[in-house]
Amino acid sequence: MNIGSVSAKSGLPAKTIRYYEEIGLIAPDRTPNGYRDFSDTHVHKLTFLHRARSLGFTIEDCRTLLALWEDKARASAEVKHIAQDHLAEIETKIADLMDMRDTLAHLVDTCAGDHRPDCPILKQLSGETPDEKEA
Amino acid sequence: MNIGSVSAKSGLPAKTIRYYEEIGLIAPDRTPNGYRDFSDTHVHKLTFLHRARSLGFTIEDCRTLLALWEDKARASAEVKHIAQDHLAEIETKIADLMDMRDTLAHLVDTCAGDHRPDCPILKQLSGETPDEKEA
DNA sequence: GATAAAGGTTCCAGCAACAGGAAGGTCAAG
DNA sequence: CTTGACCTTCCTGTTGCTGGAACCTTTATC
């Protein structure tokens, strides 16, 4: 199967598939003309990678998960551990972003957003405590 | 003022300050020995940048915000617009991460995490519908 | 048979926003 | 005079691709 079809089936851009080969995540065969030749197993792996990536796992996590997936004697604890670590990182990111959001939302709310130069957003960034809307 | 003191005052690593100079965010003077020489204004700018960056604004946003900050005739609408766009991006990121978190949390929850190979996480990634904990 | 479109190939550059480290100059203290 | 703490520049690496150039192959059409 050519890379185009695999791209369509796995949902990954051809560029990404080539990249995954380059970093050793997948190893397609080659036809005599030099084209990559993928089997259904390769497609399955790539689909797996696509799903794992869209859950935010890093490439290195994906590499490990793929190995565990192929290891029929793995312990599910290993997989769970990776997922839990990743989950914790996501929670942290969410918390950080929510802090940013709260601060920003407040600033946006207090800024008149008109033609005048007075701006609580810039005030806060420059270290001044911006005036509140209501005292 | 040397870069070390500025780093301490602004909270930015010296490396970052040099980088900011390289990309034209700041332009310190030089002493005869070649050392960078920062004024209080420079420190103030860097502190501004530090705050803006920690609210997640991109470097290019920061560049614009800094220019608006220096432009005493700016319209606060311009600042508000940037902040609102950024806020929207943050909201999107939070939503994406929360989707990931929900899926992952569910998977982690259904995985026994013991010595056995059976693993709902891998099942889901490989495209099988994993069994639920309770039917 | 000529040609053009639609695949495929490799390789190189670039993104964001720095961080790490090498090799070396400078300065103040003991 | 040496030691150590600074400072300098320059180069590489990070993460996960994406875009583009320059070039083959295959297939369809005239």
Side-chain angles (χ1 to χ4, degrees), chain B residues 13 15-16 19-20 33 35 53 58-59:
Chain B
K15 280 271 184 189
T16 300
Y19 174 67
Y20 286 176
N33 63 15
Y35 285 18
R53 288 288 299 132
T58 65
I59 291 282

Side-chain angles (χ1 to χ4, degrees), chain A residues 13-24:
Chain A
K15 278 271 186 191
T16 300
I17 298 174
R18 293 196 192 96
Y19 173 66
Y20 286 175
E21 181 187 12
E22 189 186 326
I23 63 173

Side-chain angles (χ1 to χ4, degrees), chain B residues 52-121:
Chain B
R53 288 288 299 132
S54 63
L55 282 178
F57 284 105
T58 65
I59 291 282
E60 286 319 300
D61 279 348
C62 288
R63 197 188 297 277
T64 309
L65 289 172
L66 206 48
L68 288 170
W69 183 45
E70 303 210 272
D71 174 10
K72 294 303 174 196
R74 81 228 155 200
S76 69
E78 274 195 78
V79 181
K80 186 169 184 171
H81 186 216
I82 296 172
Q84 273 174 329
D85 280 2
H86 179 45
L87 184 54
E89 278 178 19
I90 289 180
E91 302 274 19
T92 303
K93 274 188 199 166
I94 290 176
D96 289 350
L97 285 172
M98 283 174 67
D99 281 352
M100 285 184 200
R101 184 196 56 187
D102 292 347
T103 305
L104 261 175
H106 178 69
L107 286 176
V108 163
D109 193 47
T110 52
C111 177
D114 55 22
H115 64 288
R116 290 173 299 172
D118 183 61
C119 180
I121 302 174

Side-chain angles (χ1 to χ4, degrees), chain A residues 57-105:
Chain A
F57 285 104
T58 66
I59 290 284
E60 287 318 301
D61 277 349
C62 288
R63 198 188 295 279
T64 310
L65 289 172
L66 206 49
L68 288 170
W69 184 44
E70 303 211 273
D71 174 10
K72 293 304 173 194
R74 82 230 155 199
S76 69
E78 275 196 79
V79 180
K80 186 170 185 171
H81 187 202
I82 295 172
Q84 272 174 329
D85 281 2
H86 179 45
L87 184 54
E89 277 178 20
I90 288 180
E91 301 275 19
T92 303
K93 274 188 200 167
I94 291 176
D96 289 350
L97 285 172
M98 283 174 68
D99 281 352
M100 288 184 198
R101 184 197 54 188
D102 292 348
T103 304
L104 262 174

